[in-house]
Amino acid sequence: MSAATDSAVDPIAPAGLAEPLVEVKDLVIDFPTASGTVRAVDGLNFRLEAGGALGIVGESGSGKSATAYALLDLHRGTGARTAGTVRVAGTDVLAAGDAELRRLRGGRAAMVFQDPLSSLDPYYAIGDQIAEVYRVHVKATRRAARERAVQVLDRVGIPDAARRSRARPHEFSGGMRQRALIAMALACEPRLLIADEPTTALDVTVQAQILDLLHELRAETGMGLLLVTHDLGVVAGSVDDILVMRNGTAVEHGPVSAVLDEPREPYTRALLAAVPQVDTARPAALVKQRTAPEEAAPLLEAVGLRREFGKRGRTVTAVDGVSLTVRRGETLGIVGESGSGKTTLGRMLVRLLDPTDGELRYGGRDIGSLGDKALRPLRRELQMVFQDPVSSLNPRRSIGESIADPLRATGGMDDKAIVERVRELLERVGLEPDWYHRYPHEFSGGQRQRVGIARALAPSPKLIVCDEPVSALDVTTQAQVVALLGELQRDLGLSLVFIAHDLAVVRQVSDRVAVMRAGKIVEEGPADAVYDAPQHAYTQGLLAAVPVLDPAESAARRAGRKGLAGV
């Protein structure tokens, strides 16, 4: 299927080669399991013309990433079985020998992975890693490879590229690491760039920058783009065609404007309905039937809260004089870019971090300076749900035992009562009570997050801080977790602090919103007031960077950002 020519999606003319850049026919991918095999992709067909852009979207487990990996036969040697035909840039991928595959990978086709930190070697300078890729494919001298590395780093917007090329990955921010991966992919001027969830962990402004960069690179080089994502807003302004996948098969395929404006399939319509909209007020179903938040009594108050890291005069201020109030039964949303201090603030609110200065009052009592012993009785009332449920759950312990930990820590219950309470909690968050003895690796991302919520609920808290609880989840799972939190809050009278970089999600769950930048709160107020009439320029910039589902509006916003960049 050729790239769409609808002017609303701002198309880029294909290079005009006779054969398609990518052609996939009857692709089947099976993964081995202890009990047999799992079919991840089942008879998939699609084409991508040279210079075109195709977005593959779907929920977790739909087979979209498995498909992207098959384009470079990255399943080879893993035990997976791949069948069908995959042709990329003139290479019959599945039939190619190892030497031919090496020439394809990084040369004619390159891939940008979801997690740049795990894709880069922590021990080597960024520039050296890019130069090595260039030398493998071009056989250039070390000096020429170094010059090429600096050149592509500069092209992807790394400031002072010559100096920063000598930095190691941990010295780059998340957005800069993603730019470095794109630079590495561009080193050999590939005809195809495969981007697998390249913006999932990035805040909205950095996400917009990365997507704008990919668009500019296509315009300049004529390369094709295959973009894999669970975020329909990301594909709206970035591709010409869209392929919707579910359970390894293609559900819908067509020009992006047609699929998003008038989806034919119920599954596509359900995906679109689950996408939170930043310009839509909180749904009535999520509005809590209780005393209005502004009339409720304060539960937690921060006054001039400050947190510094470092010592001996070399300190960094992560939170700088923050004052806020969380009322009983309300949800306070906290938004901001990476590095704004929102996670550090959240950890201080539940006393997982000690404030450097300021006051923290809980129920009118100053708890900011309490020691561990004095804090112990309050631990059960102040809980946290973490961003990454994988790293916050012990892989060697069953999920039931992990949920039971806070119950055992508070005491007063025998083992039988604890097991019964855990089973009740599992059922309360939508999991089977009989899964008590299962381990974290046996659960999906959304299920693991439900386990994290159950663990936070175990000691019957009054306040839960949720730190990016849905950032890595697809839209339908995200909607389920958000709905669960709203239901629990209504039933249990919880207060929630909801920390996220996804502004649309925050609007859907929050009564009030605080916007953080560089450790300070720059704007705060009722959610609808902040979103509909933002007063601070920073808030306005954040909202302008949020992806939208309308391809024409997305193109207009990109043009506006480009115009502002040139001012």
Side-chain angles (χ1 to χ4, degrees), residues 21 24 34 75 164 217 237 252 286 289 333 344 388 415 440-441 456 528 563:
L21 180 61
V24 173
H75 299 299
R164 297 309 298 269
L217 292 171
E252 192 157 357
L286 292 180
Q289 303 300 317
T344 300
D388 182 5
D415 285 345
H441 73 273
D528 289 346

Side-chain angles (χ1 to χ4, degrees), residues 404-427:
D405 283 341
L407 295 173
R408 292 198 169 96
T410 54
M413 297 177 69
D414 59 28
D415 285 345
K416 183 178 180 180
I418 287 174
V419 170
E420 186 59 32
R421 170 65 173 157
V422 171
R423 290 171 61 86
E424 290 174 0
L425 287 166
L426 286 171
E427 188 171 19

Side-chain angles (χ1 to χ4, degrees), residues 219-269:
E220 291 179 9
T221 66
M223 70 177 184
L225 174 67
L226 190 136
L227 178 62
V228 176
T229 180
H230 66 257
D231 191 332
L232 288 162
V234 166
V235 297
S238 304
V239 302
D240 308 318
D241 293 337
I242 183 172
L243 173 68
V244 181
M245 290 189 68
R246 184 186 191 190
N247 297 331
T249 64
V251 173
E252 192 157 357
H253 187 187
V256 64
S257 56
V259 172
L260 295 184
D261 290 346
E262 297 182 358
R264 299 188 307 272
E265 299 299 323
Y267 177 70
T268 309
R269 292 196 290 270

Side-chain angles (χ1 to χ4, degrees), residues 75-399:
H75 299 299
R76 184 173 297 194
T78 66
R81 185 184 75 85
T82 308
T85 301
V86 178
R87 293 190 63 84
V88 175
T91 297
D92 187 343
V93 175
L94 303 185
D98 291 343
E100 190 175 4
L101 265 185
R102 284 194 294 271
R103 287 192 293 271
L104 174 69
R105 297 170 178 170
R108 284 169 287 163
M111 192 162 186
V112 176
F113 296 92
Q114 177 175 349
D115 182 7
L117 194 56
S118 63
S119 303
L120 294 166
D121 193 316
Y123 295 103
Y124 292 92
I126 294 286
D128 290 343
Q129 297 184 55
I130 297 173
E132 180 64 21
V133 170
Y134 188 69
R135 290 189 70 208
V136 165
H137 290 281
V138 181
K139 309 302 181 186
T141 64
R142 290 184 181 276
R143 180 175 180 179
R146 285 284 305 168
E147 290 175 351
R148 178 59 176 166
V150 172
Q151 182 183 29
V152 291
L153 283 171
D154 180 69
R155 177 60 199 87
V156 300
I158 299 295
D160 195 3
R163 181 179 65 85
R164 297 309 298 269
S165 70
R166 297 189 290 273
R168 287 171 172 75
H170 73 272
E171 300 177 83
F172 276 29
S173 68
M176 288 179 66
R177 283 194 292 264
Q178 198 61 282
R179 287 174 183 267
L181 271 189
I182 294 172
M184 185 181 295
L186 292 176
C188 301
E189 300 181 351
R191 290 167 55 190
L192 171 68
L193 181 65
I194 305 165
D196 183 20
E197 299 278 10
T199 62
T200 294
L202 304 179
D203 55 62
V204 289
T205 50
V206 178
Q207 175 179 262
Q209 293 165 10
I210 295 298
L211 295 175
D212 289 352
L213 172 62
L214 292 174
H215 184 86
E216 292 168 10
L217 292 171
R218 284 185 57 216
E220 291 179 9
T221 66
M223 70 177 184
L225 174 67
L226 190 136
L227 178 62
V228 176
T229 180
H230 66 257
D231 191 332
L232 288 162
V234 166
V235 297
S238 304
V239 302
D240 308 318
D241 293 337
I242 183 172
L243 173 68
V244 181
M245 290 189 68
R246 184 186 191 190
N247 297 331
T249 64
V251 173
E252 192 157 357
H253 187 187
V256 64
S257 56
V259 172
L260 295 184
D261 290 346
E262 297 182 358
R264 299 188 307 272
E265 299 299 323
Y267 177 70
T268 309
R269 292 196 290 270
L271 280 182
L272 288 166
V275 177
Q277 301 294 305
V278 75
D279 56 355
T280 302
R282 193 178 192 188
L286 292 180
V287 176
K288 296 175 287 297
Q289 303 300 317
R290 53 170 176 76
T291 303
E294 60 271 15
E295 300 171 9
L299 177 67
L300 188 72
E301 298 172 278
V303 181
L305 215 58
R306 183 180 181 87
R307 174 68 194 203
E308 297 175 351
F309 292 98
K311 56 184 178 180
R312 297 178 183 174
R314 300 181 63 182
T315 60
V316 173
T317 302
V319 174
D320 189 4
V322 165
S323 297
L324 56 80
T325 298
V326 183
R327 298 184 175 94
R328 296 181 186 276
E330 81 164 340
T331 298
L332 173 67
I334 300 179
V335 300
E337 296 174 289
S338 298
S340 61
K342 55 188 188 295
T343 292
T344 300
L345 174 61
R347 288 173 176 265
M348 281 196 291
L349 293 180
V350 295
R351 282 304 313 273
L352 291 179
L353 279 177
D354 297 330
T356 303
D357 197 7
E359 294 183 15
L360 183 63
R361 295 195 288 265
Y362 174 69
R365 176 188 179 190
D366 186 359
I367 65 168
S369 57
L370 293 181
D372 287 341
K373 185 175 181 179
L375 269 176
R376 197 168 298 141
L378 296 175
R379 292 290 188 194
R380 63 184 301 160
E381 298 185 21
L382 304 171
Q383 291 290 311
M384 192 161 190
V385 175
F386 298 93
Q387 176 176 357
D388 182 5
V390 177
S391 61
S392 61
L393 293 171
N394 188 332
R396 294 182 176 85
R397 305 188 70 212
S398 72
I399 57 103

